[in-house]
């Protein structure tokens, strides 16, 4: 996939262009012998870990919209080239090489395998190109290796804890209904994202920890990994149903919305006469619809819009040689942390766009 957003600069008068050029210093940027970058065009290379991931595709939609808005505001052309790493680190490294060879001004990398971040950093640094990692967080040691390296994302521990908070509140408000077997213990199941992914590990840990820290007794009935994927989650939960486990499960924690929806698919397909309380993370459009329909209990916003906005703002500032701290809130000079929020039927209208 390679998209070029149409520019509005071609319509500008030559004198207006001259002003623009003086405002944006990186004239005729050229790196690694690639084609020179025109003064009024910022080329951003974006490599995704997997384009078919629901949350990532909503980041892409937001990136395209945000870049278009920024073009209109800044009066320049932003050429976003978005490529799919197809969950293959070798493919993604080749994409990075190609962007750099073609003289792209900024790289945004949703890294397939976080342990490969150092290789990407070496390549970008050798070419003198700023690098923004997003959504899949490299280790801090890598991020701190240079001043042109950034991470834009959501704190996984925080949104895991908030998911636990959703369940804790439901338990405190309505224990009689939630504690179906009346034993005072919350029986739960966990659907985990990709093994080794920070968001999966930390959400799994901190969702439950919020309850145990608050003194709620919990018992794990089932747990499995479904790689962020709706179909895989549905298959796992079908197995739990066959094993008779679902009758005991009072709450299903899912590391993301797609897997939570997969659980609902399986339960409905099996003709379940009741759904346990199910919570996800992301606030994707299908998840919001499911909350509206009273199936998914709640989710935690993983801010795709804020992520895209921060990436575009950072890209523009870095390309123009401005201080990124002027356009985004930076922590430890390298991190942009996006806020997260609970979403349930109570505040759903704030998140539904139509
Ligand atoms: C998580 C998100 C998942 C999946 C994953 C990919 O933050 O909740 O749905 O998109 O990132 O890295
Ligand atoms: Ca119970």
């Amino acid at each position: 996939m390679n998209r070029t957003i149409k520019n509005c600069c071609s319509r500008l008068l030559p004198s207006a262009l001259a002003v623009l050029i003086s405002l944006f210093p990186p004239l005729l940027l050229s790196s690694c012998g690639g084609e020179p970058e025109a003064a009024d065009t910022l080329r951003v290379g974006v490599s995704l870990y997997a384009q078919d991931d629901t949350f990532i595709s909503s980041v892409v939609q937001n990136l395209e919209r945000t870049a278009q808005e920024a073009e209109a505001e800044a009066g320049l052309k932003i050429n976003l080239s978005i490529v799919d790493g197809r969950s293959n680190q070798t493919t993604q490294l080749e994409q990075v090489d190609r962007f750099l060879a073609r003289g792209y001004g900024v790289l945004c990398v949703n890294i397939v395998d976080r342990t490969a971040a150092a290789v990407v950093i070496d390549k970008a640094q050798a070419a003198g190109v700023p690098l923004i990692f997003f959504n899949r967080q490299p280790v801090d040691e890598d991020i701190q290796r240079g001043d042109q390296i950034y991470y834009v994302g959501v704190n996984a521990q925080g949104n895991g804890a908030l998911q636990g908070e959703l369940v804790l509140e439901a338990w405190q408000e309505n224990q009689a209904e939630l504690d179906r077997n009346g034993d005072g213990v919350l029986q739960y199941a966990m659907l985990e994202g990709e093994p080794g992914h920070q968001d999966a590990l930390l959400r799994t840990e901190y969702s439950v920890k919020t309850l145990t820290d608050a003194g709620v007794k919990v018992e794990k009935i089932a747990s499995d990994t479904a790689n962020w994927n709706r179909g895989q989650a549905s298959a796992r939960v079908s197995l739990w149903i066959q094993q008779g486990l679902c009758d005991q499960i009072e709450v299903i924690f899912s590391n993301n919305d797609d897997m939570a929806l997969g659980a609902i698919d399986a339960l409905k397909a099996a003709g379940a006469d009741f759904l346990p309380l199910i919570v996800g993370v992301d606030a994707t459009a299908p998840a919001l619809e499911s909350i509206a329909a009273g199936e998914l209990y709640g989710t935690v916003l993983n801010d795709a819009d804020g992520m895209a906005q921060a990436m575009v703002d950072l890209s523009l500032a870095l390309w123009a040689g401005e201080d990124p701290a002027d356009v985004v809130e930076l922590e430890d000079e390298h991190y942009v942390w996006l806020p997260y929020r609970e979403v349930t039927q109570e505040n759903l209208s704030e998140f539904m766009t139509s």
Side-chain angles (χ1 to χ4, degrees):
M1 181 173 48
N2 193 330
R3 298 183 169 113
T4 303
I5 293 177
K6 290 208 171 40
N7 80 88
C8 51
C9 275
S10 52
R11 296 193 297 272
L12 290 177
L13 297 170
S15 60
L17 263 179
V19 173
L20 259 182
I21 287 167
S22 67
L23 283 174
F24 293 94
L27 303 181
L28 300 175
L29 271 185
S30 164
S31 29
C32 268
E35 303 146 26
E37 189 167 35
D40 64 339
T41 304
L42 163 59
R43 288 193 293 165
V44 183
V46 183
S47 175
L48 310 173
Y49 99 93
Q51 189 186 302
D52 59 6
D53 177 294
T54 307
F55 173 71
I56 296 300
S57 68
S58 82
V59 174
V60 169
Q61 278 167 21
N62 281 291
L63 267 177
E64 288 172 336
R65 184 184 42 75
T66 309
Q68 240 160 350
E69 287 165 7
E71 277 192 322
E73 269 170 41
L76 50 80
K77 180 176 165 183
I78 301 177
N79 178 333
L80 275 187
S81 179
I82 299 172
V83 293
D84 182 4
R86 298 190 299 278
S87 296
N88 183 320
Q89 192 55 66
T90 310
T91 303
Q92 186 170 58
L93 289 177
E94 286 163 8
Q95 294 168 342
V96 166
D97 285 339
R98 259 196 306 276
F99 284 141
L100 293 173
R102 291 179 187 164
Y104 274 64
V106 179
L107 288 196
C108 295
V109 178
N110 178 219
I111 195 140
V112 172
D113 171 2
R114 70 199 299 245
T115 64
V119 186
V120 177
I121 292 167
D122 287 344
K123 288 175 187 290
Q125 280 185 331
V129 174
L131 181 57
I132 303 169
F133 290 102
F134 65 100
N135 166 262
R136 299 164 70 90
Q137 189 185 347
V139 291
D140 185 52
E141 215 181 15
D142 286 336
I143 295 289
Q144 301 288 352
R145 277 189 32 206
D147 56 1
Q148 296 273 82
I149 306 164
Y150 298 88
Y151 177 70
V152 178
V154 179
N155 179 295
Q157 176 176 327
N159 63 17
L162 197 57
Q163 188 189 52
E165 196 70 38
L166 275 174
V167 176
L168 178 63
E169 283 160 15
W171 179 262
Q172 285 167 341
E173 279 163 24
N174 209 353
Q175 186 175 336
E177 198 186 317
L178 207 52
D179 185 13
R180 287 173 57 230
N181 65 354
D183 66 350
V185 177
L186 186 146
Q187 275 79 20
Y188 75 92
M190 180 70 68
L191 282 167
E192 295 178 36
E194 231 176 313
H197 191 306
Q198 210 122 336
D199 288 352
L201 298 170
L202 295 175
R203 288 174 192 168
T204 298
E205 180 180 351
Y206 283 89
S207 51
V208 175
K209 194 169 182 300
T210 302
L211 287 149
T212 52
D213 281 356
V216 178
K217 289 204 186 72
V218 300
E219 182 190 0
K220 183 160 77 183
I221 301 294
S223 153
D224 213 334
T225 176
N227 294 303
W228 307 122
N229 184 281
R230 184 167 180 162
Q232 286 183 35
S234 169
R236 303 288 177 276
V237 175
S238 297
L239 212 64
W240 296 347
I241 296 169
Q242 282 166 33
Q243 293 163 348
L245 297 175
C246 281
D247 297 338
Q248 303 164 49
I249 296 169
E250 294 165 350
V251 169
I252 299 181
F253 292 95
S254 173
N255 287 170
N256 78 343
D257 287 344
D258 259 13
M259 297 188 296
L261 297 176
I264 295 170
D265 293 340
L267 288 158
K268 281 169 52 173
D273 48 13
F274 113 105
L275 290 175
L277 186 131
I278 303 175
V279 284
V281 174
D282 281 342
T284 59
L288 297 179
E289 277 164 30
S290 177
I291 294 174
E295 292 176 343
L296 182 65
Y297 173 73
T299 185
V300 179
L301 175 71
N302 198 2
D303 189 0
D305 181 15
M307 193 174 285
Q309 188 70 55
M311 288 163 67
V312 169
D313 290 348
L314 253 185
S315 298
L316 279 165
L318 293 168
W319 180 68
E322 289 163 2
D323 184 356
D326 290 345
V327 294
V328 289
E329 201 168 313
L330 280 181
E331 208 175 292
D332 297 331
E333 290 164 35
H334 296 269
Y335 292 89
V336 181
W337 294 117
L338 302 157
Y340 39 85
R341 292 178 61 196
E342 300 181 357
V343 189
T344 60
Q345 269 193 347
E346 273 177 41
N347 63 351
L348 189 60
S349 59
E350 292 175 42
F351 300 86
M352 298 286 254
T353 44
S354 53

